[in-house]
Amino acid sequence: MQSKADFILHPVRMKIIQHLSKGPATVMELKEWVSEVPQATLYRHLNLLSKNEIIYVVQEKKIRGAVERTYAMNQNSTYITAEEAANLSKEEHMKMFMTFVSSVTGEVEAYFNGNTDLKTEIFGYNQLDLYLNDEEWEELSQGMQELIGKYVPNRPSKHKKKVKLVQMLVPEPKKSS
């Protein structure tokens, strides 16, 4: 049986979830955002996400004999709880992490395969070691959520550039005693 994490971490479903996290969208709006995905594939993944209660239909409108559906996130379904994460094996965590890294790697490769201009485009990566106590970690976490949260609802437009922010936290390994 496929785990919740495996189900959510499928590359096409991840893209759909990321876009619906900004707010409800029709299939045509989703198709604009994930234009590299064939429409039949998009519908198949929307049906799977709906069947597994990750998303749901918030509105149906008849347009020229067809039904246009608007989808939204089921907010409680896309997150892996701390308890669920704690119950995953090392191998399951590594599989999820490799899926995540592979997805990011594919996006970076697609960027470099395009017409890139590193002088004017927003692109970069770095690693920064932080030494934080629990209170400082909580303050950093809340500050990042406040800073980034105001941009999450933004929708695509002629005046906005899409930038993918990848966040990864890796604690220092504990030494065995």
Side-chain angles (χ1 to χ4, degrees):
M1 184 172 154
Q2 190 175 39
S3 76
K4 180 178 176 181
D6 284 337
F7 185 78
I8 292 171
L9 286 174
H10 183 281
V12 173
R13 291 190 286 268
M14 278 178 55
K15 287 180 180 185
I16 294 169
I17 289 167
Q18 287 168 347
H19 291 299
L20 287 178
S21 70
K22 297 179 180 306
T26 65
V27 174
M28 288 301 117
E29 289 169 328
L30 285 168
K31 181 66 184 133
E32 287 177 28
W33 295 336
V34 289
S35 58
E36 73 280 6
V37 176
Q39 192 162 334
T41 301
L42 179 63
Y43 275 109
R44 186 173 66 250
H45 287 286
L46 285 169
N47 287 333
L48 284 169
L49 287 166
S50 183
K51 180 181 172 186
N52 285 275
E53 299 179 348
I54 305 294
I55 64 172
Y56 64 100
V57 176
V58 292
Q59 184 180 25
E60 290 185 332
K61 264 197 295 192
K62 282 204 172 204
I63 298 177
R64 293 178 293 230
V67 176
E68 178 187 65
R69 290 183 176 88
T70 301
Y71 291 92
M73 295 295 304
N74 179 352
Q75 294 302 325
N76 299 323
S77 64
T78 57
Y79 302 101
I80 297 170
T81 66
E83 183 179 333
E84 289 170 323
N87 289 326
L88 294 173
S89 69
K90 172 188 167 189
E91 290 76 20
E92 289 171 314
H93 276 286
M94 286 306 299
K95 182 180 178 188
M96 286 175 24
F97 180 74
M98 293 308 293
T99 301
F100 170 76
V101 170
S102 175
S103 174
V104 172
T105 302
E107 300 246 353
V108 172
E109 182 176 25
Y111 168 71
F112 281 119
N113 285 338
N115 187 12
T116 62
D117 183 356
L118 293 173
K119 291 179 183 174
T120 62
E121 294 176 333
I122 302 169
F123 178 83
Y125 50 92
N126 69 359
Q127 179 176 319
L128 177 64
D129 292 337
L130 301 174
Y131 295 87
L132 307 169
N133 62 32
D134 290 345
E135 185 178 297
E136 290 168 328
W137 160 245
E138 187 62 34
E139 184 181 324
L140 175 66
S141 180
Q142 287 179 356
M144 289 172 57
Q145 288 176 11
E146 287 173 21
L147 177 65
I148 296 166
K150 63 184 176 185
Y151 302 108
V152 170
N154 286 358
R155 299 274 188 155
S157 77
K158 291 184 262 184
H159 308 291
K160 296 188 186 287
K161 296 178 186 177
K162 178 182 175 182
V163 176
K164 186 171 294 289
L165 175 64
V166 178
Q167 180 177 323
M168 189 167 55
L169 303 169
V170 183
E172 187 172 47
K174 293 180 182 172
K175 295 181 172 80
S176 49
S177 28

